[in-house]
């Protein structure tokens, strides 16, 4: 949007603004438009059909996020969606569902829903560049790949994280609710994946993902 331009927000944006944020005329909000530009907007009016917004001024662009890929052995649908939401808010740039020995089968009709969830999470966190959801892979194919940068796999037998460069690419693999099979961990170790431990407790998938991404953010150094 350009400075001074008016926009009528309807549909999902209208529902989020009126039901979740409960905006009122006269309020100033920070927004992200369809082109990924962040700006301050003034609520001009709210009615039963939409919210009228006036763009006031552009805001500084998002800092460039370092490459952070999350490969998740698919849990149950609700946990998968919670993990998606957390990954967006914690700065993941790519999300890859994995099929493993103990993972769940993903529904075939949820792709549009997941894209909407990513968009909503971006709005929540004022993130202009959305996380990409890539096609599902088998864990064996993924572990045999050669992603750039640091390769981490969450495992109780691993060690703690060490400092990570501020722009170093990181790929993180997380297991399903039942954990990795022994052959899967053997394959990971044989292909140079570094096991990292997330603590002494067994965590649910969304919590484990949040803990891992939080630790990666905390360990990044200038």
């Amino acid at each position: 949007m350009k400075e001074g331009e008016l926009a009528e927000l309807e549909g999902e944006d209208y529902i989020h603004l009126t039901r979740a944020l409960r905006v009122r005329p006269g309020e100033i909000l920070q927004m992200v438009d369809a082109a990924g530009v962040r700006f301050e907007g003034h609520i001009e009016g709210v009615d039963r059909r939409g919210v009228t917004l006036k763009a006031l001024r552009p805001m500084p662009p998002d800092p460039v996020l370092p490459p952070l890929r999350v490969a998740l052995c698919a849990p149950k649908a609700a946990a998968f969606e919670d993990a998606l939401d957390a990954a967006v808010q914690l700065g993941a740039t790519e999300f890859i569902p994995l099929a493993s020995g103990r993972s769940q089968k993903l529904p075939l009709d949820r792709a549009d829903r997941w894209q909407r969830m990513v968009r909503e999470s971006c709005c929540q966190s004022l993130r202009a560049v959305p996380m990409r959801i890539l096609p599902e892979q088998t864990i064996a194919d993924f572990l045999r790949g050669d992603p750039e940068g640091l390769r981490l796999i969450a495992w109780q037998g691993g060690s703690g994280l060490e400092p990570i460069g501020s722009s170093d690419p990181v790929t993180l693999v997380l297991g399903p609710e039942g954990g990795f099979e022994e052959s899967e961990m053997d394959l990971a170790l044989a292909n140079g994946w570094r096991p990292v431990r997330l603590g002494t407790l067994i965590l649910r998938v969304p919590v484990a993902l949040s803990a891992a991404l939080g630790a990666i953010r905390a360990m990044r150094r200038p």
Side-chain angles (χ1 to χ4, degrees):
M1 294 185 66
K2 296 179 181 179
E3 189 171 338
E5 185 177 356
L6 293 176
E8 188 76 13
L9 304 180
E10 302 174 335
E12 294 178 0
D13 290 330
Y14 171 76
I15 293 172
H16 178 69
L17 287 169
T18 56
R19 295 185 184 177
L21 300 183
R22 298 183 179 274
V23 298
R24 298 288 186 271
E27 293 183 0
I28 304 295
L29 295 181
Q30 295 181 1
M31 309 288 288
V32 178
D33 68 12
V37 177
R38 303 198 311 165
F39 62 94
E40 283 189 344
H42 179 266
I43 301 297
E44 299 283 306
V46 179
D47 58 31
R48 294 183 178 181
R49 294 174 299 175
V51 174
T52 303
L53 179 78
K54 181 179 181 180
L56 296 181
R57 61 187 65 82
M59 297 174 61
D62 274 356
V64 177
L65 292 172
L68 176 54
R69 309 174 78 203
V70 173
L72 175 65
C73 297
K76 295 177 182 178
F80 182 86
E81 293 182 354
D82 287 344
L84 269 182
D85 180 41
V88 173
Q89 295 188 55
L90 290 168
T93 54
E94 292 184 348
F95 194 98
I96 306 99
L98 298 180
S100 68
R102 295 173 180 162
S103 64
Q104 302 287 324
K105 289 187 177 180
L106 291 174
L108 300 177
D109 59 349
R110 298 288 181 92
D112 290 343
R113 172 182 170 85
W114 294 336
Q115 292 295 342
R116 288 197 302 272
M117 291 183 62
V118 168
R119 181 178 181 276
E120 291 168 2
S121 296
C122 286
C123 291
Q124 170 67 36
S125 55
L126 284 181
R127 176 174 171 176
V129 179
M131 179 183 74
R132 297 174 60 210
I133 304 176
L134 302 185
E136 186 179 37
Q137 298 185 38
T138 67
I139 189 171
D141 286 344
F142 191 81
L143 292 176
R144 291 190 183 104
D146 189 24
E148 180 185 6
L150 185 61
R151 291 178 285 176
L152 305 175
I153 184 165
W155 185 50
Q156 284 296 102
S159 57
L161 273 176
E162 296 178 358
I164 303 169
S166 61
S167 59
D168 289 350
V170 176
T171 301
L172 172 69
V173 176
L174 292 108
E177 291 159 337
F180 296 109
E181 293 186 342
E182 184 176 349
S183 61
E184 293 165 351
M185 278 307 305
D186 289 343
L187 183 61
L189 297 175
N191 282 274
W193 291 83
R194 179 184 167 193
V196 293
R197 190 176 186 182
L198 302 180
T200 58
L201 302 177
I202 303 298
L203 306 175
R204 295 185 185 275
V205 169
V207 177
L209 183 144
S210 298
L213 295 187
I216 289 170
R217 286 165 61 100
M219 294 304 293
R220 285 199 181 271
R221 298 293 182 264

